[in-house]
Amino acid sequence: MTLFQPDALVLASILQIATDAVICVNDEHRIVYFNDGAAQMFGYPADEMIGAPLRNLMPAKFGDAHAGHVKRFGSGTSTSRRMAERSTIYGLRSNGEEFVAQAGISRVQTDNGPLFAVVMRDMSEQRRTEVLLEDALARAEDAIRDRDDMLSLVNHDLRNPVNAVKMLASALLRLPTSAEAADLPVVAREHANVMLQSATQMDALIQDLLDVARLERGTLRLACQTAAISPILTLAADILAPMAAEKHITLETEIEAGLPPVSVDPDRVGQVLSNLLGNALKFTPEGGSVRLRAIRTVDAVEVRVQDSGIRIKSDDLPFIFDRFWQAKRTDRSGAGLGLAIAKGIVQAHGGTIVIESVLGQGTIVRFTLPAALAN
Ligand SMILES: Nc1ncnc2c1ncn2[C@@H]1O[C@H](COP(=O)(O)OP(=O)(O)OP(=O)(O)O)[C@@H](O)[C@H]1O
Ligand SMILES: [Mg+2]
């Protein structure tokens, strides 16, 4: 391809229609050339500007500073300079609006003395976007600070009294119930039971809120060890068995023989199982069934929690792992944090979690835990 060498006429046309403002001034800083881009940027027709002083295009407060730039440049040795690299340039439109611009200036020696060419780009739109972004960033930082303040309040100021209630209610419940003056009357035992249950619920919610914050901040710590998955699954099923029995739901556990050991934090995996089994039992009507299975895949153990419950609508599936999300019209007890936490914990172990829900077949949650590497 040969190099295109435009003649003077073509060059002049290109300059005329350029979107940047191109303004030439003589050594008295009077305008001798004003292209279409300049006319559009400043809102003056070109013919009105020929002969006008350059300072008409600048807010009065910057006029001297800009004129100083041009003068210094005129007497210096450099032939071109990007003014905005040194300072911010402001322009003044015909409607009185000031705008920020980036400008480059170059000097050309002509038979009639030096000519200064100023090329300006209107940066006001970009500045507006920058201001919006800075504003959004500041608000996001404020929100993060507020959240952290709130969490430390929850962690220290709420957890301690809740634990005190739990401890004292448990202590009351350890007293014998009889007609003796020092013993616990029946009605007080009932009250202490409710207090213990409520405080336990509050404590669980506080723990969930703290876990969600840790997952968001990436500060969830795992105490991983190489372990067999089977006892972790059995323990979770045993813990949830009374809840299943209460709802007359059959809870079956099926663990494939010869599963490889996994590298896991057993407490955290127990928490995932408790959240998933808890959901399965909560959203399955009386008489239904819940199945906990573990099978081997190529390089992981896959755990499945399947229920015969009310299922999740396909429209809802994309939101299911969002924190605080709950389907409309289902049992709204809980805070909508269980699945978000389960996903975070599984991912922190390097695993994946998916949910499928089919009409008439209930819901199945599958998650993987990578097999521990042999030493
Ligand atoms: N097995 C399931 N069957 C039907 N719907 C489910 C099932 N598991 C979860 N969902 C739906 O997903 C929502 C979010 O579940 P998630 O466990 O995160 O919160 P939650 O159970 O409502 O409250 P939390 O777990 O914090 O006590 C539930 O409220 C429910 O609408
Ligand atoms: Mg839940």
Side-chain angles (χ1 to χ4, degrees):
M1 197 185 286
T2 50
L3 182 67
F4 170 59
Q5 297 217 300
D7 60 24
L9 206 65
V10 173
L11 273 179
S13 318
I14 293 172
L15 209 59
Q16 187 60 31
I17 58 170
T19 44
D20 283 354
V22 181
I23 302 164
C24 296
V25 295
N26 60 17
D27 56 353
E28 289 167 359
H29 298 173
R30 290 201 173 262
I31 296 168
V32 294
Y33 178 76
F34 203 74
N35 77 340
D36 289 352
Q40 209 142 40
M41 197 177 290
F42 287 93
Y44 292 110
D47 49 0
E48 256 182 42
M49 295 313 287
I50 302 304
L54 183 62
R55 63 166 61 225
N56 284 12
L57 300 178
M58 291 158 192
K61 54 185 181 247
F62 300 116
D64 289 343
H66 286 158
H69 278 312
V70 179
K71 207 175 227 147
R72 268 196 304 285
F73 181 67
S75 56
T77 51
S78 60
T79 52
S80 74
R81 175 191 292 165
R82 288 164 69 82
M83 289 170 102
E85 279 170 9
R86 307 190 127 221
S87 57
T88 309
I89 311 292
Y90 286 92
L92 180 66
R93 300 190 216 277
S94 62
N95 63 5
E97 185 195 338
E98 290 180 13
F99 66 97
V100 64
Q102 198 175 45
I105 181 166
S106 41
R107 181 179 49 190
V108 187
Q109 197 57 47
T110 70
D111 294 344
N112 304 325
L115 194 69
F116 299 97
V118 183
V119 180
M120 287 179 79
R121 179 160 293 179
D122 187 340
M123 303 300 284
S124 44
E125 199 49 49
Q126 183 174 332
R127 179 57 62 89
R128 255 193 292 279
T129 313
E130 279 168 12
V131 169
L132 283 178
L133 280 175
E134 279 164 16
D135 200 42
L137 189 67
R139 273 185 286 133
E141 280 169 353
D142 280 355
I144 289 174
R145 233 188 335 270
D146 286 354
R147 184 200 63 187
D148 288 349
D149 287 352
M150 200 268 284
L151 282 169
S152 77
L153 182 106
V154 166
N155 199 11
H156 300 111
D157 302 349
L158 202 57
R159 233 172 124 196
N160 292 345
V162 165
N163 278 329
V165 173
K166 258 173 82 177
M167 244 168 52
L168 294 174
S170 305
L172 282 177
L173 289 170
R174 278 196 296 273
L175 293 176
T177 305
S178 73
E180 297 291 323
D183 294 343
L184 192 65
V186 175
V187 63
R189 172 169 297 275
E190 282 166 10
H191 291 173
N193 248 323
V194 175
M195 277 162 63
L196 181 60
Q197 275 171 28
S198 306
T200 305
Q201 255 177 24
M202 277 172 79
D203 192 35
L205 178 59
I206 292 170
Q207 295 289 2
D208 279 357
L209 285 170
L210 293 173
D211 281 345
V212 165
R214 284 184 195 115
L215 286 166
E216 265 180 21
R217 283 189 292 197
T219 56
L220 184 88
R221 302 264 171 272
L222 293 181
C224 281
Q225 59 190 68
T226 300
I229 191 73
S230 168
I232 303 173
L233 297 175
T234 314
L235 177 66
D238 286 349
I239 293 173
L240 273 293
M243 186 174 163
E246 206 175 299
K247 278 187 86 174
H248 306 289
I249 292 173
T250 20
L251 174 57
E252 284 172 24
T253 306
E254 189 186 321
I255 301 167
E256 195 180 282
L259 289 177
V262 279
S263 171
V264 289
D265 179 331
D267 291 341
R268 289 298 185 180
V269 173
Q271 188 180 355
V272 172
L273 290 164
S274 159
N275 289 358
L276 300 184
L277 288 170
N279 280 352
L281 294 171
K282 181 158 63 166
F283 299 110
T284 297
E286 298 230 343
S289 64
V290 171
R291 199 162 164 222
L292 173 64
R293 277 186 78 197
I295 57 165
R296 180 187 197 128
T297 65
V298 181
D299 50 6
V301 169
E302 183 179 287
V303 181
R304 299 179 178 178
V305 177
Q306 182 162 18
D307 65 55
S308 64
I310 59 168
R311 89 173 194 102
I312 302 160
K313 287 200 214 103
S314 45
D315 287 354
D316 288 342
L317 283 175
F319 311 105
I320 202 82
F321 290 109
D322 291 354
R323 59 201 164 84
F324 299 114
W325 187 89
Q326 294 186 303
K328 296 194 187 80
R329 287 191 301 277
T330 53
D331 179 341
R332 300 292 282 269
S333 63
L337 294 175
L339 285 178
I341 293 170
K343 182 177 180 179
I345 294 175
V346 169
Q347 288 181 336
H349 279 88
T352 54
I353 184 166
V354 287
I355 294 196
E356 290 155 31
S357 209
V358 180
L359 191 61
Q361 289 183 26
T363 298
I364 173 162
V365 188
R366 294 186 285 125
F367 71 91
T368 59
L369 294 168
L373 298 172
N375 288 325

